[in-house]
């Protein structure tokens, strides 16, 4: 077993078996899920549905972290790969459209 799939030693006393890859995967899943909190806060402040650019950044990073977990860890699960590949592509394309249509400094200009 390689280093990235070996359980983190200082967590063993807790009974939690966490490898570095699992930590990356969980962090990615948390980031992907928390993007909805960012969207909720932005919409609440604006008083209308808004998707801030941070939403797309969190989508991309969260998807890629979770995707890397399913590709490179001992898990190597095709369902997890497909489940995270398409959102990563969609978020990249949406970010591209957002930058193209609203400009690079869109969020800074609105404050």
């Amino acid at each position: 077993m390689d280093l990235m799939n070996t359980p983190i030693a200082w967590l063993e006393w807790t009974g939690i078996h966490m490898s570095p890859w699992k930590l990356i995967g969980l962090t990615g899943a948390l980031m992907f899920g928390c993007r909805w909190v960012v969207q909720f806060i932005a919409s609440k402040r604006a008083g209308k549905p808004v998707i801030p650019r941070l939403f797309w950044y969190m989508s991309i990073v969260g998807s890629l972290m979770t995707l890397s977990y399913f590709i490179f860890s001992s898990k190597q699960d095709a369902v997890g790969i497909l489940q995270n590949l398409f959102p990563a592509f969609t978020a990249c394309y949406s970010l591209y459209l957002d930058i193209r249509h609203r400009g690079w400094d869109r969020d800074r200009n609105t404050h």
Side-chain angles (χ1 to χ4, degrees):
M1 194 180 289
D2 63 273
L3 177 66
M4 291 297 286
N5 287 306
T6 304
I8 300 170
W10 58 270
L11 287 175
E12 287 180 4
W13 68 273
T14 65
I16 297 172
H17 300 286
M18 183 79 58
S19 69
W21 273 125
K22 188 176 262 189
L23 191 60
I24 289 169
L26 288 172
T27 302
L30 183 65
M31 183 172 294
F32 193 78
C34 285
R35 70 197 172 115
W36 292 110
V37 174
V38 169
Q39 192 269 336
F40 172 79
I41 292 168
S43 294
K44 187 156 175 54
R45 286 181 181 164
K48 62 181 181 178
V50 175
I51 299 179
R53 193 165 288 166
L54 181 59
F55 179 90
W56 300 120
Y57 289 129
M58 291 176 76
S59 296
I60 293 166
V61 172
S63 288
L64 292 178
M65 288 177 76
T66 310
L67 182 63
S68 67
Y69 166 74
F70 283 112
I71 291 174
F72 300 114
S73 75
S74 59
K75 189 76 168 171
Q76 297 187 349
D77 180 28
V79 173
I81 292 169
L82 288 176
Q83 184 179 8
N84 290 282
L85 183 63
F86 294 114
F89 170 76
T90 304
C92 286
Y93 184 69
S94 295
L95 178 61
Y96 162 76
L97 290 176
D98 188 50
I99 291 169
R100 188 171 141 219
H101 290 287
R102 298 183 191 210
W104 185 255
D105 294 330
R106 160 188 89 120
D107 290 336
R108 267 186 251 159
N109 293 337
T110 59
H111 294 312

